[in-house]
Amino acid sequence: MQSSKGIKFFIFLIINMLIVLLPNDVYSMQKNQKIPQEVIIGGELLHMELNTEKVMIFGIEKNSFIKNYDLIDCISGDSVKRIFNQNEKNILSKQDIITTLISMKEDEKINLSLIRNNKKIKVSIDKKQLKPEYLVDKIPYTATLTYINPQNLNFGAVGHDIEFKENEKLITNKGEIYKSNLSRIKKSSKKYVGNINGDKSENLLGTISNMGSYSVKGNVNSLQNNKEHKICKIANENEVKLGQAFVVMKHNENETKYYKINVTKINKIGKEIESFDFKVEDEALIKKYGGITQGMSGSPIIQNDKLIGSLSYVMTKDTLNGNGVYIKTMMKE
């Protein structure tokens, strides 16, 4: 009996020592979905392709019966019956519609059942009004990689502004990411938000598995150039301070830039940090980009050699001012 009590006391002692010595790890495992203690810092420009719920219409410039962001639910008509041997065809891919368009006569019409503003509508149009180039099943988006967890290859990037008011569920939580080398800069000015774009690489970098209010998450396929990766510890809330920090950008291969910013305000919900405001103070960034631009969302922010968050959005009244989401807020989603 004494031996059994001794073993139980020993186990109890070890558990309490772990809680005291590793509070962040225990908290993370229980509440924060295993938030890692350290990650690989990102900064690379990403080309994201977000899958749409259904085949979507995009690229319409003139007034038409069909509108940008219409989702095609099903098609019907003589051509549909002729090709698929059914009165109505539920659309599963762009090819279903393209096959129909190719077989249609010049004066023949096709009936579309569309989802617009979360409501179903029906239109009847000819092949001149519905061109193959109007059909998309992925939406391209430029962002910046925030981090990669080296233990499980999970990645995080900011995606809170990937939304479409036209339909609540226009896009899915799935997609692909590719690296992108910076090729075009449209500079910001004081009250104008510019943008950056890059050339998409051919090799698939990873897949998107979830999109939240603050982040896009998924997995990369592998770690390349392992020696060049910078490992950085995750900052706790009490380590985020007003004052100097750095936003990290790696917009071209083998060129990592640390631009100086100043954290001006820490925003909390209750007692927990949600985000922080900052101002760009680095003349090199201002000279190259004019200020914060679209496409920089997700850029890691480092303070005292720890990852405190990522660039979330730009203040439109002055593009030298921005907001960063706290890293653990981003990781909790």
Side-chain angles (χ1 to χ4, degrees), residues 24-25 27-39 149 217 234-235 327-333:
N24 291 329
D25 285 72
Y27 177 79
S28 296
M29 289 177 67
Q30 291 179 347
K31 297 181 180 181
N32 277 354
Q33 301 176 4
K34 298 183 180 179
I35 290 177
Q37 283 190 311
E38 56 184 25
V39 293
N149 183 343
K217 293 179 182 175
I234 300 297
I327 188 61
K328 287 191 177 180
T329 300
M330 180 178 174
M331 288 178 167
K332 285 177 187 178
E333 283 194 312

mmCIF file of all heavy atoms in Angstrom, residues 24-25 27-39 149 217 234-235 327-333:
data_model
loop_
_atom_site.group_PDB
_atom_site.id
_atom_site.type_symbol
_atom_site.label_atom_id
_atom_site.label_comp_id
_atom_site.label_asym_id
_atom_site.label_seq_id
_atom_site.Cartn_x
_atom_site.Cartn_y
_atom_site.Cartn_z
ATOM 1 N N ASN A 24 2.798 27.532 -20.840
ATOM 2 C CA ASN A 24 2.299 27.879 -22.168
ATOM 3 C C ASN A 24 1.971 26.644 -22.983
ATOM 4 O O ASN A 24 1.001 26.605 -23.730
ATOM 5 C CB ASN A 24 3.336 28.735 -22.907
ATOM 6 C CG ASN A 24 3.474 30.107 -22.275
ATOM 7 O OD1 ASN A 24 2.502 30.628 -21.738
ATOM 8 N ND2 ASN A 24 4.653 30.683 -22.321
ATOM 9 N N ASP A 25 2.803 25.618 -22.868
ATOM 10 C CA ASP A 25 2.550 24.397 -23.621
ATOM 11 C C ASP A 25 1.269 23.727 -23.161
ATOM 12 O O ASP A 25 0.467 23.269 -23.964
ATOM 13 C CB ASP A 25 3.707 23.422 -23.432
ATOM 14 C CG ASP A 25 4.927 23.840 -24.238
ATOM 15 O OD1 ASP A 25 5.560 24.829 -23.841
ATOM 16 O OD2 ASP A 25 5.218 23.197 -25.247
ATOM 17 N N TYR A 27 -1.314 25.106 -21.621
ATOM 18 C CA TYR A 27 -2.447 25.936 -22.023
ATOM 19 C C TYR A 27 -2.746 25.771 -23.498
ATOM 20 O O TYR A 27 -3.898 25.621 -23.904
ATOM 21 C CB TYR A 27 -2.126 27.403 -21.727
ATOM 22 C CG TYR A 27 -3.197 28.355 -22.170
ATOM 23 C CD1 TYR A 27 -4.348 28.551 -21.419
ATOM 24 C CD2 TYR A 27 -3.068 29.062 -23.373
ATOM 25 C CE1 TYR A 27 -5.321 29.425 -21.844
ATOM 26 C CE2 TYR A 27 -4.037 29.932 -23.800
ATOM 27 C CZ TYR A 27 -5.161 30.114 -23.027
ATOM 28 O OH TYR A 27 -6.132 30.977 -23.445
ATOM 29 N N SER A 28 -1.712 25.750 -24.299
ATOM 30 C CA SER A 28 -1.887 25.618 -25.734
ATOM 31 C C SER A 28 -2.530 24.293 -26.089
ATOM 32 O O SER A 28 -3.423 24.228 -26.923
ATOM 33 C CB SER A 28 -0.530 25.729 -26.429
ATOM 34 O OG SER A 28 0.009 27.013 -26.224
ATOM 35 N N MET A 29 -2.082 23.209 -25.455
ATOM 36 C CA MET A 29 -2.607 21.893 -25.788
ATOM 37 C C MET A 29 -4.064 21.759 -25.388
ATOM 38 O O MET A 29 -4.846 21.105 -26.049
ATOM 39 C CB MET A 29 -1.777 20.822 -25.086
ATOM 40 C CG MET A 29 -0.370 20.671 -25.680
ATOM 41 S SD MET A 29 0.608 19.478 -24.784
ATOM 42 C CE MET A 29 -0.271 17.973 -25.179
ATOM 43 N N GLN A 30 -4.457 22.423 -24.298
ATOM 44 C CA GLN A 30 -5.821 22.274 -23.804
ATOM 45 C C GLN A 30 -6.795 23.245 -24.450
ATOM 46 O O GLN A 30 -7.934 22.911 -24.703
ATOM 47 C CB GLN A 30 -5.833 22.462 -22.286
ATOM 48 C CG GLN A 30 -5.133 21.329 -21.551
ATOM 49 C CD GLN A 30 -5.143 21.550 -20.054
ATOM 50 O OE1 GLN A 30 -5.441 22.625 -19.574
ATOM 51 N NE2 GLN A 30 -4.823 20.518 -19.314
ATOM 52 N N LYS A 31 -6.333 24.478 -24.720
ATOM 53 C CA LYS A 31 -7.270 25.500 -25.154
ATOM 54 C C LYS A 31 -6.961 26.095 -26.518
ATOM 55 O O LYS A 31 -7.851 26.562 -27.197
ATOM 56 C CB LYS A 31 -7.304 26.645 -24.123
ATOM 57 C CG LYS A 31 -7.796 26.204 -22.754
ATOM 58 C CD LYS A 31 -7.829 27.395 -21.806
ATOM 59 C CE LYS A 31 -8.309 27.005 -20.420
ATOM 60 N NZ LYS A 31 -8.355 28.161 -19.504
ATOM 61 N N ASN A 32 -5.707 26.108 -26.903
ATOM 62 C CA ASN A 32 -5.323 26.842 -28.095
ATOM 63 C C ASN A 32 -4.970 25.965 -29.276
ATOM 64 O O ASN A 32 -4.220 26.362 -30.158
ATOM 65 C CB ASN A 32 -4.121 27.751 -27.785
ATOM 66 C CG ASN A 32 -4.556 29.047 -27.154
ATOM 67 O OD1 ASN A 32 -5.740 29.321 -27.048
ATOM 68 N ND2 ASN A 32 -3.602 29.848 -26.721
ATOM 69 N N GLN A 33 -5.490 24.760 -29.306
ATOM 70 C CA GLN A 33 -5.280 23.862 -30.429
ATOM 71 C C GLN A 33 -3.789 23.663 -30.719
ATOM 72 O O GLN A 33 -3.336 23.771 -31.848
ATOM 73 C CB GLN A 33 -5.998 24.400 -31.663
ATOM 74 C CG GLN A 33 -7.490 24.554 -31.467
ATOM 75 C CD GLN A 33 -8.167 25.168 -32.670
ATOM 76 O OE1 GLN A 33 -7.543 25.413 -33.691
ATOM 77 N NE2 GLN A 33 -9.447 25.410 -32.570
ATOM 78 N N LYS A 34 -3.029 23.419 -29.623
ATOM 79 C CA LYS A 34 -1.599 23.105 -29.739
ATOM 80 C C LYS A 34 -0.822 24.208 -30.446
ATOM 81 O O LYS A 34 -0.170 23.980 -31.464
ATOM 82 C CB LYS A 34 -1.407 21.770 -30.446
ATOM 83 C CG LYS A 34 -2.013 20.584 -29.703
ATOM 84 C CD LYS A 34 -1.722 19.277 -30.416
ATOM 85 C CE LYS A 34 -2.340 18.107 -29.646
ATOM 86 N NZ LYS A 34 -2.094 16.810 -30.309
ATOM 87 N N ILE A 35 -0.922 25.408 -29.916
ATOM 88 C CA ILE A 35 -0.134 26.508 -30.456
ATOM 89 C C ILE A 35 1.342 26.198 -30.253
ATOM 90 O O ILE A 35 1.773 25.913 -29.141
ATOM 91 C CB ILE A 35 -0.507 27.834 -29.760
ATOM 92 C CG1 ILE A 35 -1.917 28.263 -30.182
ATOM 93 C CG2 ILE A 35 0.496 28.933 -30.106
ATOM 94 C CD1 ILE A 35 -2.403 29.507 -29.510
ATOM 95 N N PRO A 36 2.136 26.239 -31.307
ATOM 96 C CA PRO A 36 3.556 25.889 -31.174
ATOM 97 C C PRO A 36 4.328 26.964 -30.416
ATOM 98 O O PRO A 36 3.921 28.121 -30.361
ATOM 99 C CB PRO A 36 4.021 25.799 -32.629
ATOM 100 C CG PRO A 36 3.110 26.720 -33.372
ATOM 101 C CD PRO A 36 1.772 26.602 -32.690
ATOM 102 N N GLN A 37 5.455 26.573 -29.844
ATOM 103 C CA GLN A 37 6.315 27.532 -29.153
ATOM 104 C C GLN A 37 7.169 28.322 -30.135
ATOM 105 O O GLN A 37 7.541 29.461 -29.871
ATOM 106 C CB GLN A 37 7.230 26.810 -28.165
ATOM 107 C CG GLN A 37 6.539 26.377 -26.883
ATOM 108 C CD GLN A 37 7.548 25.903 -25.859
ATOM 109 O OE1 GLN A 37 8.423 25.099 -26.158
ATOM 110 N NE2 GLN A 37 7.438 26.416 -24.645
ATOM 111 N N GLU A 38 7.487 27.725 -31.289
ATOM 112 C CA GLU A 38 8.285 28.401 -32.288
ATOM 113 C C GLU A 38 7.891 27.934 -33.682
ATOM 114 O O GLU A 38 7.382 26.824 -33.858
ATOM 115 C CB GLU A 38 9.786 28.163 -32.051
ATOM 116 C CG GLU A 38 10.191 26.711 -32.009
ATOM 117 C CD GLU A 38 11.663 26.532 -31.663
ATOM 118 O OE1 GLU A 38 12.234 27.435 -31.021
ATOM 119 O OE2 GLU A 38 12.229 25.497 -32.053
ATOM 120 N N VAL A 39 8.098 28.810 -34.659
ATOM 121 C CA VAL A 39 7.706 28.526 -36.043
ATOM 122 C C VAL A 39 8.758 29.063 -36.998
ATOM 123 O O VAL A 39 9.655 29.822 -36.614
ATOM 124 C CB VAL A 39 6.336 29.173 -36.386
ATOM 125 C CG1 VAL A 39 5.211 28.544 -35.602
ATOM 126 C CG2 VAL A 39 6.391 30.682 -36.165
ATOM 127 N N ASN A 149 4.650 25.869 -39.300
ATOM 128 C CA ASN A 149 5.005 25.056 -38.140
ATOM 129 C C ASN A 149 5.899 23.907 -38.633
ATOM 130 O O ASN A 149 5.439 23.046 -39.371
ATOM 131 C CB ASN A 149 3.746 24.514 -37.478
ATOM 132 C CG ASN A 149 4.038 23.723 -36.212
ATOM 133 O OD1 ASN A 149 5.168 23.304 -35.973
ATOM 134 N ND2 ASN A 149 3.016 23.515 -35.393
ATOM 135 N N LYS A 217 -5.500 28.954 -43.292
ATOM 136 C CA LYS A 217 -4.608 27.908 -42.795
ATOM 137 C C LYS A 217 -4.631 26.692 -43.702
ATOM 138 O O LYS A 217 -5.587 26.461 -44.431
ATOM 139 C CB LYS A 217 -4.997 27.507 -41.372
ATOM 140 C CG LYS A 217 -4.771 28.612 -40.353
ATOM 141 C CD LYS A 217 -5.197 28.179 -38.970
ATOM 142 C CE LYS A 217 -5.007 29.316 -37.985
ATOM 143 N NZ LYS A 217 -5.533 28.973 -36.649
ATOM 144 N N ILE A 234 7.320 32.189 -30.459
ATOM 145 C CA ILE A 234 6.032 32.881 -30.411
ATOM 146 C C ILE A 234 5.979 33.754 -29.163
ATOM 147 O O ILE A 234 6.281 33.287 -28.051
ATOM 148 C CB ILE A 234 4.861 31.870 -30.384
ATOM 149 C CG1 ILE A 234 4.883 30.999 -31.638
ATOM 150 C CG2 ILE A 234 3.528 32.587 -30.235
ATOM 151 C CD1 ILE A 234 4.700 31.740 -32.925
ATOM 152 N N ALA A 235 5.601 35.016 -29.307
ATOM 153 C CA ALA A 235 5.537 35.937 -28.174
ATOM 154 C C ALA A 235 4.272 35.704 -27.352
ATOM 155 O O ALA A 235 3.190 35.497 -27.897
ATOM 156 C CB ALA A 235 5.567 37.380 -28.668
ATOM 157 N N ILE A 327 -0.423 37.163 -32.863
ATOM 158 C CA ILE A 327 -0.146 35.848 -33.440
ATOM 159 C C ILE A 327 -0.980 34.730 -32.810
ATOM 160 O O ILE A 327 -1.463 33.837 -33.503
ATOM 161 C CB ILE A 327 1.376 35.516 -33.362
ATOM 162 C CG1 ILE A 327 1.682 34.238 -34.135
ATOM 163 C CG2 ILE A 327 1.841 35.452 -31.912
ATOM 164 C CD1 ILE A 327 1.354 34.306 -35.605
ATOM 165 N N LYS A 328 -1.197 34.770 -31.503
ATOM 166 C CA LYS A 328 -1.973 33.698 -30.876
ATOM 167 C C LYS A 328 -3.460 33.824 -31.190
ATOM 168 O O LYS A 328 -4.175 32.826 -31.247
ATOM 169 C CB LYS A 328 -1.729 33.654 -29.367
ATOM 170 C CG LYS A 328 -0.346 33.107 -29.009
ATOM 171 C CD LYS A 328 -0.216 32.822 -27.517
ATOM 172 C CE LYS A 328 1.140 32.216 -27.195
ATOM 173 N NZ LYS A 328 1.290 31.927 -25.746
ATOM 174 N N THR A 329 -3.937 35.060 -31.390
ATOM 175 C CA THR A 329 -5.319 35.254 -31.848
ATOM 176 C C THR A 329 -5.498 34.613 -33.214
ATOM 177 O O THR A 329 -6.497 33.953 -33.493
ATOM 178 C CB THR A 329 -5.654 36.757 -31.932
ATOM 179 O OG1 THR A 329 -5.508 37.344 -30.645
ATOM 180 C CG2 THR A 329 -7.080 36.980 -32.436
ATOM 181 N N MET A 330 -4.505 34.788 -34.060
ATOM 182 C CA MET A 330 -4.520 34.212 -35.405
ATOM 183 C C MET A 330 -4.463 32.694 -35.350
ATOM 184 O O MET A 330 -5.172 31.996 -36.088
ATOM 185 C CB MET A 330 -3.320 34.765 -36.170
ATOM 186 C CG MET A 330 -3.162 34.286 -37.591
ATOM 187 S SD MET A 330 -1.720 35.101 -38.321
ATOM 188 C CE MET A 330 -1.659 34.238 -39.904
ATOM 189 N N MET A 331 -3.643 32.160 -34.460
ATOM 190 C CA MET A 331 -3.451 30.710 -34.389
ATOM 191 C C MET A 331 -4.610 29.983 -33.723
ATOM 192 O O MET A 331 -4.818 28.798 -33.959
ATOM 193 C CB MET A 331 -2.161 30.390 -33.631
ATOM 194 C CG MET A 331 -0.896 30.719 -34.399
ATOM 195 S SD MET A 331 0.586 30.356 -33.413
ATOM 196 C CE MET A 331 1.852 30.440 -34.671
ATOM 197 N N LYS A 332 -5.390 30.677 -32.883
ATOM 198 C CA LYS A 332 -6.476 30.028 -32.148
ATOM 199 C C LYS A 332 -7.623 29.608 -33.050
ATOM 200 O O LYS A 332 -8.381 28.710 -32.708
ATOM 201 C CB LYS A 332 -7.022 30.968 -31.060
ATOM 202 C CG LYS A 332 -6.138 31.106 -29.849
ATOM 203 C CD LYS A 332 -6.760 32.134 -28.883
ATOM 204 C CE LYS A 332 -5.837 32.434 -27.725
ATOM 205 N NZ LYS A 332 -6.417 33.451 -26.822
ATOM 206 N N GLU A 333 -7.791 30.293 -34.188
ATOM 207 C CA GLU A 333 -8.939 30.007 -35.060
ATOM 208 C C GLU A 333 -8.912 28.561 -35.550
ATOM 209 O O GLU A 333 -7.871 28.060 -35.952
ATOM 210 C CB GLU A 333 -8.936 30.945 -36.265
ATOM 211 C CG GLU A 333 -9.428 32.322 -35.939
ATOM 212 C CD GLU A 333 -9.730 33.127 -37.177
ATOM 213 O OE1 GLU A 333 -8.885 33.159 -38.096
ATOM 214 O OE2 GLU A 333 -10.805 33.726 -37.236
#
